[in-house]
């Protein structure tokens, strides 16, 4: 059709689909962490989180956005071996913190669902119906959006630690992970387009979806920084998938060490 079709609002329903587009996806993975020191330089690290909106529902309940679903489950364990102990390099300034190897398993899944309604005006749109000219439109829209994820992994890591000024712990390493799972996003909406007169002009339907599966075998680069404030530890860690140079995760957390 000609370019005037871009400005026409028909009375019949229309449907729009978005395909073959790539969008970044994000999924929360909060955890409670605890560990146990074992014999001969081994320790066991465990993480777990079970959260459901039946336990507590965050106060997101507005006309424009209402939380409908929030369930997060995460479990994992890692067995770590300290191969090389601490070495002092520059006293009171810079030390080698040690070298460890580890192997572990992880599981996480969850779903977040939000829906809502919004209304706004679109000024000076050219229409050919009911009569050629510029009109002010009102769009009354309803939408729902869901993000769902499921992931299992087995991984091995080798990491070196460095201590700087007693406060900062920096660590770098490489790893390998076997993963299976997906991240899926779905969204849909329905909107009524209307004029002051003669009323409703049409309905717009929109639907979008995105599903991503990581590679089964991934090589990982790991980097992190931990700030030591007495027994409180502040941590930020990133993992980059060196197999495809695309998948990057960032984890921020706190812990207490006694």
């Amino acid at each position: 059709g000609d370019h005037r079709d871009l400005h026409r609002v028909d009375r019949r329903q229309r449907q729009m689909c978005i395909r073959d587009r790539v969008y970044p996806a994000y999924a929360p993975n909060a955890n409670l962490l605890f560990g146990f020191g074992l014999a001969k330089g081994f320790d066991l690290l465990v993480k777990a989180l079970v959260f459901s909106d039946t336990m507590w529902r965050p106060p997101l309940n507005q006309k424009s956005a209402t939380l409908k679903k929030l369930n997060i489950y995460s479990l994992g364990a890692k067995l770590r071996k300290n191969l090389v102990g601490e070495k002092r390099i520059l006293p009171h300034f810079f030390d080698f913190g040690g070298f460890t190897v580890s192997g572990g398993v992880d599981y996480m899944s969850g779903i977040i669902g939000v829906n809502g309604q919004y209304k706004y005006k679109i000024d000076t749109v050219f229409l050919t119906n009911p009569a050629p000219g510029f009109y002010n439109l009102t769009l009354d829209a309803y939408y729902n959006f869901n993000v769902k994820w499921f992931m299992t992994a087995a991984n091995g890591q080798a990491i070196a630690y460095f201590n700087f000024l007693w406060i900062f712990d920096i660590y770098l390493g490489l790893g390998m992970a076997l993963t299976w799972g997906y991240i899926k996003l779905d969204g849909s909406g329905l909107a009524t387009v209307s004029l002051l007169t003669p009323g409703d002009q049409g309905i717009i339907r929109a639907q979008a979806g995105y599903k991503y599966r990581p590679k089964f075998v991934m090589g990982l680069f790991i980097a992190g920084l931990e700030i030591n404030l007495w027994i409180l530890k502040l941590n930020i860690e990133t993992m980059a998938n060196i197999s495809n140079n695309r998948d990057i995760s960032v984890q921020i957390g706190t812990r207490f060490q006694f």
Side-chain angles (χ1 to χ4, degrees), residues 32 34 36 40 52 84 91 99 116 118 126 136 147 152 156 186 218:
L32 300 175
F34 52 95
F36 307 93
K40 299 182 179 180
S52 171
V84 179
F99 179 77
Y118 59 92
F126 180 77
N136 295 329
V147 56
T152 58
D186 291 302
M218 295 190 297

Side-chain angles (χ1 to χ4, degrees), residues 23-28 60 64-70 111-118 142-149 183-190 206-210:
Y23 302 94
Y26 307 89
L60 180 60
S64 60
T66 301
L67 182 66
K68 289 299 182 182
K69 299 177 183 178
L70 178 57
I111 184 170
I112 298 174
V114 177
N115 61 20
Q117 176 188 4
Y118 59 92
Y142 302 82
Y143 74 92
N144 65 76
F145 176 81
N146 294 284
V147 56
K148 184 178 181 180
W149 64 96
I183 299 173
K184 183 178 180 181
L185 295 92
D186 291 302
S188 63
L190 177 66
Q207 186 169 356
Y210 169 68

Side-chain angles (χ1 to χ4, degrees), residues 151-169:
M151 201 74 63
T152 58
N155 61 78
Q157 299 176 357
I159 298 179
Y161 297 83
F162 304 91
N163 310 123
F164 181 67
L165 291 177
W166 300 307
I167 299 176
F168 303 102
D169 290 340

